[in-house]
Amino acid sequence: MAIPLLRDFDIRGKSVLVREDLNVPLEDGRVANSARIDAALPTIRHCMAAGARVTLVSHLGRPRPGERNPALSLKPVAKALGDALGCTVRLVDDWRNGAAVGSADVVLLENIRFEAGETTNDPALARRLAALCDVFVMDAFGTAHRAHASTVGVAEAAGAACAGPLLAAELHALGRVLDDPARPLVAVVGGAKVSTKLAVLESLAHVADSIIVGGGIANTFLLASGSQIGASLAEADQVDVARRIMTRIEVPMPVDVMTATAIDAVLPGRLRLRDEVGSDEMVLDIGPETARRLADQVAKAGTVLFNGPLGVFELDQFGEGTRVLAEAIASADAYSVAGGGDTLAAIEKYGVGEGISYQSTGGGAFLEYLAGETLPAVAALERRIVAPHRK
């Protein structure tokens, strides 16, 4: 994949418009988790150090198109950004006539989804955004799967466009997993439903050496293998899909599981052999022997992809499988890439982040890329290989 990169541009004294993913959780008017802000800082600092006039654009939440919802203002994000950068980050609400930005200044446009044409990739909005800059920098991997005015339209309308360091790092990490992985490649795919990750599972079945499944997805595979799963969450209509995948690639089934009759924080888990699940029980985690076997498998891997917990890890009695596997991934010599909100939450809960080679900031984009889909924002940059504003 060949795309223009920010490092190849001379941006001194120029206006740059940087699309970041600053869609962070807010609590009581403050940023509750700054992970996405932290991930964007290196790109912003690079532009500031290069002497560029920096304008940032991002969305927050899902306001109705054209509706300016005060609860979804980026004001708290501007404050958190300023604190992290050690400077004032001015929030600009009305930029129809431009946004005045001084040398080495940082300006943040108000929530781009307040603009009616954002999610429809309105050409007029894209041109307005392009008019704010000499160089457009797409750095928001988390929105690269959206063909919006601030991701695709402006990349096509701007005088020059390129990928920022964060986007480039995301593509490099995933390319290392999918295109030329150190073998064996072990993919860990958890989640509630096979149907939501069907394309990912089908794609990985062609590139991975084995797939470890967890959560409700694992229950569907257990059902496909002929095991009794009691009252567990599963998709009977995806059993044939699970069987097809199991004919293509190794999908290890648990030998023991943790069950309960309800998902309850105070209800203890019951250890069961795989074929001893009661009719009123739900499989909510793998058992200790299965966790040990999967940890041994991960320890021998050359590459590990981690996307989804193996159980209801939010409750400690059903989180041991996820903890053991997360610790095994972190301590393995393998190159490891993790992505997805629940996955990153589990990594944080068990304190294993330093052992993971790369943690992706993408959710939907992460899954679509794994499924082999073309990300519209990346495709737009590929079409901009000839860039007149390069050094």
Side-chain angles (χ1 to χ4, degrees), residues 116-142:
E118 162 64 358
T119 58
T120 58
N121 193 15
D122 177 58
L125 177 58
R127 288 193 295 269
R128 282 174 51 208
L129 287 166
L132 299 176
C133 66
D134 300 307
V135 180
F136 170 67
V137 182
M138 177 59 188
D139 203 40
F141 178 71

PDB file of all heavy atoms in Angstrom, residues 116-142:
ATOM      1  N   ALA A 116     -24.305  19.610   8.863  1.00  0.00           N
ATOM      2  CA  ALA A 116     -25.294  18.739   8.228  1.00  0.00           C
ATOM      3  C   ALA A 116     -24.700  17.832   7.151  1.00  0.00           C
ATOM      4  O   ALA A 116     -25.176  16.726   6.927  1.00  0.00           O
ATOM      5  CB  ALA A 116     -26.419  19.587   7.638  1.00  0.00           C
ATOM      6  N   GLY A 117     -23.659  18.257   6.474  1.00  0.00           N
ATOM      7  CA  GLY A 117     -23.135  17.479   5.358  1.00  0.00           C
ATOM      8  C   GLY A 117     -22.004  16.533   5.690  1.00  0.00           C
ATOM      9  O   GLY A 117     -21.442  15.897   4.793  1.00  0.00           O
ATOM     10  N   GLU A 118     -21.628  16.409   6.969  1.00  0.00           N
ATOM     11  CA  GLU A 118     -20.470  15.596   7.324  1.00  0.00           C
ATOM     12  C   GLU A 118     -20.658  14.129   6.963  1.00  0.00           C
ATOM     13  O   GLU A 118     -19.871  13.544   6.220  1.00  0.00           O
ATOM     14  CB  GLU A 118     -20.162  15.755   8.818  1.00  0.00           C
ATOM     15  CG  GLU A 118     -19.281  14.669   9.430  1.00  0.00           C
ATOM     16  CD  GLU A 118     -17.868  14.601   8.864  1.00  0.00           C
ATOM     17  OE1 GLU A 118     -17.525  15.369   7.943  1.00  0.00           O
ATOM     18  OE2 GLU A 118     -17.104  13.763   9.347  1.00  0.00           O
ATOM     19  N   THR A 119     -21.684  13.500   7.471  1.00  0.00           N
ATOM     20  CA  THR A 119     -21.822  12.048   7.291  1.00  0.00           C
ATOM     21  C   THR A 119     -22.271  11.665   5.890  1.00  0.00           C
ATOM     22  O   THR A 119     -22.174  10.500   5.510  1.00  0.00           O
ATOM     23  CB  THR A 119     -22.795  11.458   8.319  1.00  0.00           C
ATOM     24  OG1 THR A 119     -24.070  12.089   8.194  1.00  0.00           O
ATOM     25  CG2 THR A 119     -22.265  11.661   9.737  1.00  0.00           C
ATOM     26  N   THR A 120     -22.733  12.636   5.105  1.00  0.00           N
ATOM     27  CA  THR A 120     -23.115  12.357   3.716  1.00  0.00           C
ATOM     28  C   THR A 120     -22.006  12.720   2.745  1.00  0.00           C
ATOM     29  O   THR A 120     -22.199  12.644   1.524  1.00  0.00           O
ATOM     30  CB  THR A 120     -24.397  13.122   3.343  1.00  0.00           C
ATOM     31  OG1 THR A 120     -24.191  14.524   3.540  1.00  0.00           O
ATOM     32  CG2 THR A 120     -25.574  12.639   4.188  1.00  0.00           C
ATOM     33  N   ASN A 121     -20.859  13.131   3.273  1.00  0.00           N
ATOM     34  CA  ASN A 121     -19.714  13.517   2.443  1.00  0.00           C
ATOM     35  C   ASN A 121     -20.113  14.591   1.437  1.00  0.00           C
ATOM     36  O   ASN A 121     -19.853  14.481   0.237  1.00  0.00           O
ATOM     37  CB  ASN A 121     -19.119  12.301   1.715  1.00  0.00           C
ATOM     38  CG  ASN A 121     -17.756  12.598   1.106  1.00  0.00           C
ATOM     39  OD1 ASN A 121     -17.125  13.602   1.438  1.00  0.00           O
ATOM     40  ND2 ASN A 121     -17.308  11.738   0.210  1.00  0.00           N
ATOM     41  N   ASP A 122     -20.732  15.636   1.954  1.00  0.00           N
ATOM     42  CA  ASP A 122     -21.189  16.735   1.107  1.00  0.00           C
ATOM     43  C   ASP A 122     -19.996  17.460   0.491  1.00  0.00           C
ATOM     44  O   ASP A 122     -19.100  17.927   1.211  1.00  0.00           O
ATOM     45  CB  ASP A 122     -22.009  17.711   1.946  1.00  0.00           C
ATOM     46  CG  ASP A 122     -22.455  18.913   1.145  1.00  0.00           C
ATOM     47  OD1 ASP A 122     -23.132  18.726   0.132  1.00  0.00           O
ATOM     48  OD2 ASP A 122     -22.097  20.048   1.535  1.00  0.00           O
ATOM     49  N   PRO A 123     -19.942  17.595  -0.843  1.00  0.00           N
ATOM     50  CA  PRO A 123     -18.801  18.244  -1.500  1.00  0.00           C
ATOM     51  C   PRO A 123     -18.588  19.687  -1.054  1.00  0.00           C
ATOM     52  O   PRO A 123     -17.449  20.145  -0.958  1.00  0.00           O
ATOM     53  CB  PRO A 123     -19.155  18.164  -2.983  1.00  0.00           C
ATOM     54  CG  PRO A 123     -20.103  17.007  -3.088  1.00  0.00           C
ATOM     55  CD  PRO A 123     -20.893  17.041  -1.818  1.00  0.00           C
ATOM     56  N   ALA A 124     -19.664  20.399  -0.774  1.00  0.00           N
ATOM     57  CA  ALA A 124     -19.526  21.797  -0.357  1.00  0.00           C
ATOM     58  C   ALA A 124     -18.833  21.881   0.999  1.00  0.00           C
ATOM     59  O   ALA A 124     -17.965  22.742   1.213  1.00  0.00           O
ATOM     60  CB  ALA A 124     -20.905  22.458  -0.294  1.00  0.00           C
ATOM     61  N   LEU A 125     -19.194  20.988   1.930  1.00  0.00           N
ATOM     62  CA  LEU A 125     -18.533  20.971   3.235  1.00  0.00           C
ATOM     63  C   LEU A 125     -17.075  20.567   3.079  1.00  0.00           C
ATOM     64  O   LEU A 125     -16.189  21.128   3.732  1.00  0.00           O
ATOM     65  CB  LEU A 125     -19.258  20.016   4.182  1.00  0.00           C
ATOM     66  CG  LEU A 125     -18.624  19.851   5.573  1.00  0.00           C
ATOM     67  CD1 LEU A 125     -18.517  21.189   6.291  1.00  0.00           C
ATOM     68  CD2 LEU A 125     -19.435  18.857   6.411  1.00  0.00           C
ATOM     69  N   ALA A 126     -16.830  19.607   2.207  1.00  0.00           N
ATOM     70  CA  ALA A 126     -15.444  19.172   1.972  1.00  0.00           C
ATOM     71  C   ALA A 126     -14.598  20.325   1.444  1.00  0.00           C
ATOM     72  O   ALA A 126     -13.448  20.512   1.858  1.00  0.00           O
ATOM     73  CB  ALA A 126     -15.426  18.002   0.993  1.00  0.00           C
ATOM     74  N   ARG A 127     -15.148  21.116   0.553  1.00  0.00           N
ATOM     75  CA  ARG A 127     -14.408  22.263   0.009  1.00  0.00           C
ATOM     76  C   ARG A 127     -14.166  23.319   1.079  1.00  0.00           C
ATOM     77  O   ARG A 127     -13.108  23.956   1.105  1.00  0.00           O
ATOM     78  CB  ARG A 127     -15.165  22.854  -1.182  1.00  0.00           C
ATOM     79  CG  ARG A 127     -15.131  21.978  -2.432  1.00  0.00           C
ATOM     80  CD  ARG A 127     -15.624  22.750  -3.657  1.00  0.00           C
ATOM     81  NE  ARG A 127     -17.032  23.111  -3.536  1.00  0.00           N
ATOM     82  CZ  ARG A 127     -18.044  22.361  -3.962  1.00  0.00           C
ATOM     83  NH1 ARG A 127     -17.811  21.182  -4.522  1.00  0.00           N
ATOM     84  NH2 ARG A 127     -19.292  22.777  -3.822  1.00  0.00           N
ATOM     85  N   ARG A 128     -15.132  23.529   1.969  1.00  0.00           N
ATOM     86  CA  ARG A 128     -14.945  24.489   3.068  1.00  0.00           C
ATOM     87  C   ARG A 128     -13.806  24.048   3.980  1.00  0.00           C
ATOM     88  O   ARG A 128     -12.993  24.859   4.412  1.00  0.00           O
ATOM     89  CB  ARG A 128     -16.232  24.614   3.869  1.00  0.00           C
ATOM     90  CG  ARG A 128     -17.311  25.483   3.232  1.00  0.00           C
ATOM     91  CD  ARG A 128     -18.595  25.425   4.039  1.00  0.00           C
ATOM     92  NE  ARG A 128     -18.375  25.692   5.450  1.00  0.00           N
ATOM     93  CZ  ARG A 128     -19.145  25.211   6.438  1.00  0.00           C
ATOM     94  NH1 ARG A 128     -20.178  24.425   6.158  1.00  0.00           N
ATOM     95  NH2 ARG A 128     -18.873  25.522   7.695  1.00  0.00           N
ATOM     96  N   LEU A 129     -13.750  22.754   4.248  1.00  0.00           N
ATOM     97  CA  LEU A 129     -12.661  22.230   5.065  1.00  0.00           C
ATOM     98  C   LEU A 129     -11.324  22.379   4.345  1.00  0.00           C
ATOM     99  O   LEU A 129     -10.316  22.780   4.941  1.00  0.00           O
ATOM    100  CB  LEU A 129     -12.921  20.755   5.401  1.00  0.00           C
ATOM    101  CG  LEU A 129     -14.026  20.476   6.419  1.00  0.00           C
ATOM    102  CD1 LEU A 129     -14.404  18.994   6.407  1.00  0.00           C
ATOM    103  CD2 LEU A 129     -13.589  20.893   7.821  1.00  0.00           C
ATOM    104  N   ALA A 130     -11.324  22.064   3.064  1.00  0.00           N
ATOM    105  CA  ALA A 130     -10.089  22.152   2.282  1.00  0.00           C
ATOM    106  C   ALA A 130      -9.571  23.585   2.224  1.00  0.00           C
ATOM    107  O   ALA A 130      -8.347  23.820   2.170  1.00  0.00           O
ATOM    108  CB  ALA A 130     -10.323  21.613   0.874  1.00  0.00           C
ATOM    109  N   ALA A 131     -10.474  24.549   2.252  1.00  0.00           N
ATOM    110  CA  ALA A 131     -10.071  25.957   2.189  1.00  0.00           C
ATOM    111  C   ALA A 131      -9.327  26.400   3.446  1.00  0.00           C
ATOM    112  O   ALA A 131      -8.681  27.458   3.445  1.00  0.00           O
ATOM    113  CB  ALA A 131     -11.303  26.839   1.979  1.00  0.00           C
ATOM    114  N   LEU A 132      -9.388  25.600   4.493  1.00  0.00           N
ATOM    115  CA  LEU A 132      -8.710  25.946   5.741  1.00  0.00           C
ATOM    116  C   LEU A 132      -7.231  25.574   5.737  1.00  0.00           C
ATOM    117  O   LEU A 132      -6.511  25.929   6.677  1.00  0.00           O
ATOM    118  CB  LEU A 132      -9.383  25.241   6.919  1.00  0.00           C
ATOM    119  CG  LEU A 132     -10.861  25.557   7.192  1.00  0.00           C
ATOM    120  CD1 LEU A 132     -11.373  24.695   8.344  1.00  0.00           C
ATOM    121  CD2 LEU A 132     -11.049  27.037   7.503  1.00  0.00           C
ATOM    122  N   CYS A 133      -6.776  24.863   4.714  1.00  0.00           N
ATOM    123  CA  CYS A 133      -5.420  24.315   4.815  1.00  0.00           C
ATOM    124  C   CYS A 133      -4.664  24.304   3.494  1.00  0.00           C
ATOM    125  O   CYS A 133      -5.253  24.327   2.412  1.00  0.00           O
ATOM    126  CB  CYS A 133      -5.474  22.885   5.364  1.00  0.00           C
ATOM    127  SG  CYS A 133      -6.290  21.698   4.264  1.00  0.00           S
ATOM    128  N   ASP A 134      -3.338  24.239   3.650  1.00  0.00           N
ATOM    129  CA  ASP A 134      -2.467  23.931   2.521  1.00  0.00           C
ATOM    130  C   ASP A 134      -2.293  22.421   2.392  1.00  0.00           C
ATOM    131  O   ASP A 134      -2.146  21.905   1.289  1.00  0.00           O
ATOM    132  CB  ASP A 134      -1.094  24.579   2.728  1.00  0.00           C
ATOM    133  CG  ASP A 134      -1.176  26.083   2.837  1.00  0.00           C
ATOM    134  OD1 ASP A 134      -1.762  26.707   1.937  1.00  0.00           O
ATOM    135  OD2 ASP A 134      -0.662  26.640   3.830  1.00  0.00           O
ATOM    136  N   VAL A 135      -2.300  21.745   3.543  1.00  0.00           N
ATOM    137  CA  VAL A 135      -2.106  20.288   3.572  1.00  0.00           C
ATOM    138  C   VAL A 135      -3.130  19.672   4.516  1.00  0.00           C
ATOM    139  O   VAL A 135      -3.264  20.105   5.670  1.00  0.00           O
ATOM    140  CB  VAL A 135      -0.689  19.909   4.055  1.00  0.00           C
ATOM    141  CG1 VAL A 135      -0.520  18.392   4.077  1.00  0.00           C
ATOM    142  CG2 VAL A 135       0.377  20.558   3.174  1.00  0.00           C
ATOM    143  N   PHE A 136      -3.843  18.675   4.026  1.00  0.00           N
ATOM    144  CA  PHE A 136      -4.763  17.914   4.877  1.00  0.00           C
ATOM    145  C   PHE A 136      -4.048  16.656   5.363  1.00  0.00           C
ATOM    146  O   PHE A 136      -3.433  15.937   4.578  1.00  0.00           O
ATOM    147  CB  PHE A 136      -6.022  17.514   4.115  1.00  0.00           C
ATOM    148  CG  PHE A 136      -6.881  16.534   4.865  1.00  0.00           C
ATOM    149  CD1 PHE A 136      -7.520  16.890   6.035  1.00  0.00           C
ATOM    150  CD2 PHE A 136      -7.027  15.225   4.405  1.00  0.00           C
ATOM    151  CE1 PHE A 136      -8.300  15.980   6.747  1.00  0.00           C
ATOM    152  CE2 PHE A 136      -7.800  14.309   5.101  1.00  0.00           C
ATOM    153  CZ  PHE A 136      -8.442  14.680   6.276  1.00  0.00           C
ATOM    154  N   VAL A 137      -4.129  16.409   6.658  1.00  0.00           N
ATOM    155  CA  VAL A 137      -3.479  15.248   7.270  1.00  0.00           C
ATOM    156  C   VAL A 137      -4.551  14.333   7.849  1.00  0.00           C
ATOM    157  O   VAL A 137      -5.224  14.688   8.823  1.00  0.00           O
ATOM    158  CB  VAL A 137      -2.498  15.663   8.386  1.00  0.00           C
ATOM    159  CG1 VAL A 137      -1.809  14.431   8.951  1.00  0.00           C
ATOM    160  CG2 VAL A 137      -1.483  16.667   7.853  1.00  0.00           C
ATOM    161  N   MET A 138      -4.724  13.166   7.245  1.00  0.00           N
ATOM    162  CA  MET A 138      -5.660  12.181   7.772  1.00  0.00           C
ATOM    163  C   MET A 138      -4.920  11.312   8.781  1.00  0.00           C
ATOM    164  O   MET A 138      -4.000  10.579   8.432  1.00  0.00           O
ATOM    165  CB  MET A 138      -6.222  11.312   6.639  1.00  0.00           C
ATOM    166  CG  MET A 138      -7.159  10.193   7.112  1.00  0.00           C
ATOM    167  SD  MET A 138      -8.584  10.837   8.009  1.00  0.00           S
ATOM    168  CE  MET A 138      -9.315   9.308   8.615  1.00  0.00           C
ATOM    169  N   ASP A 139      -5.312  11.429  10.050  1.00  0.00           N
ATOM    170  CA  ASP A 139      -4.604  10.718  11.104  1.00  0.00           C
ATOM    171  C   ASP A 139      -5.547   9.886  11.974  1.00  0.00           C
ATOM    172  O   ASP A 139      -5.126   9.307  12.965  1.00  0.00           O
ATOM    173  CB  ASP A 139      -3.865  11.725  11.992  1.00  0.00           C
ATOM    174  CG  ASP A 139      -2.693  11.105  12.750  1.00  0.00           C
ATOM    175  OD1 ASP A 139      -1.971  10.274  12.165  1.00  0.00           O
ATOM    176  OD2 ASP A 139      -2.491  11.472  13.918  1.00  0.00           O
ATOM    177  N   ALA A 140      -6.818   9.831  11.579  1.00  0.00           N
ATOM    178  CA  ALA A 140      -7.835   9.184  12.407  1.00  0.00           C
ATOM    179  C   ALA A 140      -8.178   7.806  11.858  1.00  0.00           C
ATOM    180  O   ALA A 140      -9.139   7.643  11.104  1.00  0.00           O
ATOM    181  CB  ALA A 140      -9.087  10.052  12.475  1.00  0.00           C
ATOM    182  N   PHE A 141      -7.399   6.806  12.248  1.00  0.00           N
ATOM    183  CA  PHE A 141      -7.691   5.444  11.801  1.00  0.00           C
ATOM    184  C   PHE A 141      -9.085   5.011  12.234  1.00  0.00           C
ATOM    185  O   PHE A 141      -9.778   4.314  11.508  1.00  0.00           O
ATOM    186  CB  PHE A 141      -6.654   4.476  12.353  1.00  0.00           C
ATOM    187  CG  PHE A 141      -6.903   3.040  11.968  1.00  0.00           C
ATOM    188  CD1 PHE A 141      -6.714   2.602  10.675  1.00  0.00           C
ATOM    189  CD2 PHE A 141      -7.342   2.121  12.927  1.00  0.00           C
ATOM    190  CE1 PHE A 141      -6.951   1.289  10.315  1.00  0.00           C
ATOM    191  CE2 PHE A 141      -7.579   0.804  12.588  1.00  0.00           C
ATOM    192  CZ  PHE A 141      -7.383   0.377  11.272  1.00  0.00           C
ATOM    193  N   GLY A 142      -9.514   5.447  13.406  1.00  0.00           N
ATOM    194  CA  GLY A 142     -10.810   5.031  13.931  1.00  0.00           C
ATOM    195  C   GLY A 142     -11.989   5.468  13.088  1.00  0.00           C
ATOM    196  O   GLY A 142     -13.093   4.942  13.244  1.00  0.00           O
TER     197      GLY A 142
END
